[in-house]
């Protein structure tokens, strides 16, 4: 087996191994360290000796031994060592019987952890990424990420393993997966490869949750949203990194296989699961994906979906997006009136996206001076360089 | 989210500090650095030399001209920075408030988001 195939296999096994150990021993921090050591041992041993028949069992045994070594070296814990050693033998058959991966997600997304810590811990414990890989993805020094992970693990010491799943935390898990995807999709600087890795990892982990909870509409919705968004990756930027807005994207570059999968996922779940925000967003993405261009897009349907989204998950950004759809259906003035209704809303007041949409609608309405002013305002407000360049170019283009 | 916490220094204010106050600022920075490292929010920090040691390279009438001194002559100047990665702008402001400079009349810490080099979809 090639080293990269071994690595893929290890990343699949890692969360199950960690889940088994944490379920038995509590002590998330010690178990996580032991699993990382076992993974390292496997990276050396497997390409040389071949992959064992039961890779998960091999890893559980190896990690169990590391735990025993660890506790043996702590004098105060001497009495535990016999117990652990005995348990390590028992763990192997258990590994195949139960899958604790979902519980591991819930543990990593513990509400007491900050969101960056939840993200880091999920990538490390469930994703099996090394600290160096996670640090590189988020463009922070490895020492910073190591400290963040270490503190998160310490914080979880003594936390009960959420047996049977704490479904109330599923929302936090999905949010963390969404943020990992967003980091890869909208990205903070750095080599492109890292960012694509991160969206791929977010999709892989969401597939994992989807596999564990195939009937949950929001899990399916989030997976569909990610797959559909990712399908546009090649068309979103030009070769030199400039941003291409949706209306101007070369749709022949969209990934058809991904669109087919995303549309199938969202169609299936909408027909049988209770409606939720991720499903609605993926449904909107699906309508865009199925249209040949902006003009033939079914804006009326998109407007209906935004209306529902605005009702079940009200949020000023949804209102801004709804204004765009309404403008397509009823003209720019109707959209501008919706934007005016947000005046004084602190959550969105001064946000560059509001200014950018206003600029676009003013341009459509023929108010070129107002549009130029709004484009410039939006350009100054964004924290994204390609977006700033794009908005400045629009401002220059309007009525010059 | 990444933020630059920019320490705005004013030499007249610094000169007026007592020995004790200056000591408090120094040790305060050490404690702040330690806290940032422990929380995993530190990316980097640098203290900058006095603007009198600056050289400015600038375009003048189509040519590149090198002059001694800072770009802008002002009482306040950037004395150093912390580059942090934290959860939100609110947390960045909170961190800025923990920098000892922020407790001295006449000094200030500016909190500025770091621009991303890749963009959102419109």
């Amino acid at each position: 087996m090639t080293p990269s195939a071994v690595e893929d296999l290890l990343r699949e096994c890692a969360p199950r191994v960690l889940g088994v150990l944490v379920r038995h021993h509590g002590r998330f921090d010690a178990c996580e360290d032991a699993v990382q050591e076992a993974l390292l041992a496997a990276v050396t041993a497997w390409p040389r000796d071949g992959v064992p028949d039961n890779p998960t069992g091999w890893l559980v045994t190896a990690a169990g031994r590391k735990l025993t070594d660890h506790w043996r070296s702590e004098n105060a814990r001497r009495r535990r060592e016999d117990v652990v050693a005995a348990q390590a033998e028992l763990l192997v058959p258990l590994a195949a019987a139960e899958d604790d991966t979902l519980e591991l997600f819930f543990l990593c997304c513990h509400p007491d952890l900050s969101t960056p810590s939840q993200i880091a811990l999920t990538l490390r414990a469930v994703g099996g990424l090394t600290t160096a890989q996670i640090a590189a993805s988020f463009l922070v020094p490895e020492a910073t990420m190591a400290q963040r992970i270490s503190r998160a693990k310490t914080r979880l010491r003594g936390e009960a393993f959420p047996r049977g799943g704490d479904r109330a935390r599923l929302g936090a898990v999905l949010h963390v997966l969404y943020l990992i995807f967003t980091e890869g999709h909208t990205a903070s600087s750095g080599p492109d490869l890292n960012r694509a890795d991160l969206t791929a990892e977010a999709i892989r982990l969401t597939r994992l949750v989807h596999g564990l909870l195939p009937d949950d509409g929001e899990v399916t919705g989030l997976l569909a949203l990610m797959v559909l968004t990712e399908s546009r990756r090649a068309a979103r930027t030009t070769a030199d990194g400039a941003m291409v807005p949706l209306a101007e994207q070369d749709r022949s570059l969209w990934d058809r296989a991904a669109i087919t999968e995303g549309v199938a996922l969202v169609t299936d779940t909408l027909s049988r699961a209770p409606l939720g925000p991720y499903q609605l967003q993926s449904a909107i993405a699906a309508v865009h994906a199925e249209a040949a261009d902006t003009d033939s897009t079914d804006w009326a349907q998109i407007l209906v979906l935004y209306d529902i989204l605005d009702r079940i998950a009200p949020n000023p950004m949804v209102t801004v997006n709804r204004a765009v759809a309404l403008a397509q259906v009823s003209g720019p003035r109707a959209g501008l009136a919706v934007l005016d209704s947000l005046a004084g809303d602190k959550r969105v007041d001064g946000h560059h996206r509001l200014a950018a949409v206003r600029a676009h609608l003013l341009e459509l309405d023929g108010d070129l001076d107002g549009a130029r002013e709004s484009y410039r305002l939006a350009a100054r407000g964004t924290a994204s360089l390609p977006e700033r360049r794009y908005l400045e170019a629009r401002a220059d283009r309007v009525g010059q | 989210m990444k933020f630059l916490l920019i320490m705005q220094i004013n030499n007249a204010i610094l000169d007026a500090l007592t020995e004790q106050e200056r000591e408090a600022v120094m040790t305060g920075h050490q404690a702040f650095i330690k806290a940032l490292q422990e929380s995993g929010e530190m990316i980097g920090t640098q203290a900058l030399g006095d603007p009198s040691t600056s050289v400015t390279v600038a375009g003048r009438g189509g040519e590149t001209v090198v002059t001694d001194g800072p770009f802008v002559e002002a009482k306040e100047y950037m004395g150093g920075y912390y580059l942090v990665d934290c959860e939100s702008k609110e947390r960045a402001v909170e961190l800025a408030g923990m920098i000892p400079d922020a407790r001295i009349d006449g000094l200030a810490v500016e909190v500025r988001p770091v621009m991303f080099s890749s963009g959102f979809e419109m």
Side-chain angles (χ1 to χ4, degrees):
Chain A
M1 206 178 233
T2 66
S4 81
V6 166
E7 207 170 300
D8 288 345
L9 178 61
L10 286 173
R11 285 174 67 188
E12 278 170 38
C13 296
R16 298 196 64 192
V17 174
L18 182 57
V20 169
L21 291 181
V22 176
R23 176 152 51 84
H24 278 260
H25 303 303
R27 289 297 297 271
F28 180 83
D29 50 349
C31 292
E32 211 273 338
D33 288 340
V35 171
Q36 291 292 327
E37 285 179 53
L39 292 174
L40 282 174
V43 167
T44 329
W46 293 4
R48 186 189 59 216
D49 306 336
V51 175
D53 293 340
N54 177 359
T56 308
W58 189 99
L59 287 165
V60 168
T61 308
R65 286 206 192 106
K66 302 281 180 195
L67 263 186
T68 317
D69 292 347
H70 175 68
W71 275 322
R72 193 172 278 151
S73 68
E74 289 182 45
N75 275 340
R77 304 196 179 276
R78 180 154 303 205
R79 275 181 300 130
R80 288 204 196 177
E81 76 183 50
D82 295 334
V83 181
V84 174
Q87 278 179 342
E89 306 302 320
L90 293 172
L91 292 177
V92 180
L94 280 169
E98 283 187 61
D99 190 342
D100 304 301
T101 309
L102 189 61
E103 282 69 28
L104 205 54
F105 269 109
F106 290 137
L107 190 62
C108 292
C109 296
H110 193 283
D112 286 357
L113 297 177
S114 73
T115 307
S117 295
Q118 291 176 338
I119 291 172
L121 207 54
T122 302
L123 285 173
R124 163 121 168 176
V126 196
L129 300 195
T130 64
T131 305
Q133 286 171 316
I134 302 168
S137 297
F138 287 87
L139 297 166
V140 300
E142 192 176 343
T144 294
M145 196 48 83
Q147 201 49 252
R148 187 172 283 172
I149 290 171
S150 157
R151 280 174 71 89
K153 287 196 293 184
T154 309
R155 174 63 197 77
L156 292 183
R157 183 178 293 173
E159 279 297 326
F161 190 64
R163 277 166 214 252
D166 174 359
R167 293 299 157 96
R169 282 198 208 163
L170 183 60
V173 172
L174 297 184
H175 183 63
V176 161
L177 293 170
Y178 179 76
L179 290 177
I180 294 171
F181 183 83
T182 306
E183 176 66 23
H185 181 69
T186 66
S188 335
S189 56
D192 286 342
L193 189 65
N194 271 338
R195 320 261 65 91
D197 278 1
L198 217 46
T199 51
E201 182 61 12
I203 291 174
R204 190 182 76 83
L205 292 177
T206 308
R207 277 192 203 287
L208 193 57
V209 180
H210 179 62
L212 296 165
L213 298 172
D215 296 329
D216 188 282
E218 282 297 87
V219 176
T220 312
L222 180 60
L223 179 58
L225 179 60
M226 285 182 186
V227 169
L228 288 167
T229 307
E230 184 70 0
S231 75
R232 297 184 208 148
R233 170 177 281 279
R236 286 180 63 230
T237 50
T238 60
D240 58 358
M243 206 179 70
V244 184
L246 184 59
E248 291 162 29
Q249 287 177 14
D250 176 357
R251 297 187 181 209
S252 69
L253 296 176
W254 288 3
D255 180 343
R256 287 291 134 197
I259 289 173
T260 305
E261 186 199 355
V263 169
L265 281 168
V266 66
T267 308
D268 172 57
T269 189
L270 280 176
S271 67
R272 55 197 183 93
L275 207 53
Y278 288 125
Q279 289 168 79
L280 283 164
Q281 290 174 69
S282 63
I284 291 165
V287 177
H288 282 301
E290 287 175 319
D293 53 42
T294 317
D295 288 340
S296 62
T297 301
D298 187 348
W299 288 101
Q301 196 187 342
I302 289 178
L303 181 58
V304 168
L305 292 168
Y306 271 124
D307 282 343
I308 305 171
L309 190 56
D310 214 6
R311 213 175 313 130
I312 68 169
N315 156 343
M317 276 305 151
V318 172
T319 310
V320 171
N321 290 334
R322 196 180 137 256
V324 176
L326 182 63
Q328 292 285 348
V329 174
S330 308
R333 279 174 194 276
L336 285 165
V338 171
L339 295 184
D340 287 343
S341 74
L342 289 169
D345 187 329
K346 282 207 173 86
R347 294 171 297 174
V348 74
D349 214 21
H351 195 288
H352 75 275
R353 171 96 177 126
L354 179 59
V357 169
R358 188 187 300 282
H360 177 62
L361 297 186
L362 286 171
E363 185 182 351
L364 287 177
D365 196 38
D367 178 357
L368 300 187
D369 288 340
R372 193 162 43 240
E373 196 184 319
S374 273
Y375 277 129
R376 298 239 187 267
L377 188 68
R380 284 197 295 274
T382 178
S384 151
L385 285 168
E387 193 174 20
R388 175 183 281 191
R389 278 196 293 272
Y390 166 78
L391 290 164
E392 280 167 351
R394 290 298 290 229
D396 291 343
R397 215 190 302 167
V398 171
Q400 287 286 335
Chain B
M1 299 171 77
K2 296 182 177 66
F3 291 90
L4 200 64
L5 312 183
I6 305 165
M7 289 170 281
Q8 296 294 354
I9 301 288
N10 180 329
N11 279 343
I13 305 283
L14 282 188
D15 291 344
L17 294 181
T18 64
E19 190 67 25
Q20 213 176 354
E21 285 174 316
R22 209 164 296 166
E23 186 64 27
V25 169
M26 287 302 292
T27 51
H29 275 284
Q30 284 162 15
F32 182 64
I33 288 170
K34 194 162 180 293
L36 274 185
Q37 284 170 339
E38 282 181 2
S39 68
E41 291 170 309
M42 167 77 89
I43 298 178
T45 178
Q46 294 294 337
L48 302 180
D50 189 88
S52 65
T53 61
S54 284
V55 170
T56 301
V57 182
R60 293 270 189 283
E63 284 186 52
T64 304
V65 177
V66 180
T67 53
D68 286 338
F71 178 58
V72 183
E73 290 285 357
K75 277 187 295 184
E76 293 83 11
Y77 61 90
M78 177 177 171
Y81 68 81
Y82 288 97
L83 179 59
V84 301
D85 180 42
C86 62
E87 187 152 24
S88 63
K89 188 172 188 179
E90 288 67 32
R91 174 61 180 165
V93 169
E94 189 185 341
L95 289 174
M98 288 159 61
I99 298 176
D101 304 47
R103 289 190 286 275
I104 292 174
D105 275 0
L107 300 185
V109 180
E110 184 180 337
V111 178
R112 195 104 67 87
V114 175
M115 291 273 282
F116 298 146
S117 82
S118 142
F120 298 84
E121 192 155 3
M122 293 290 289

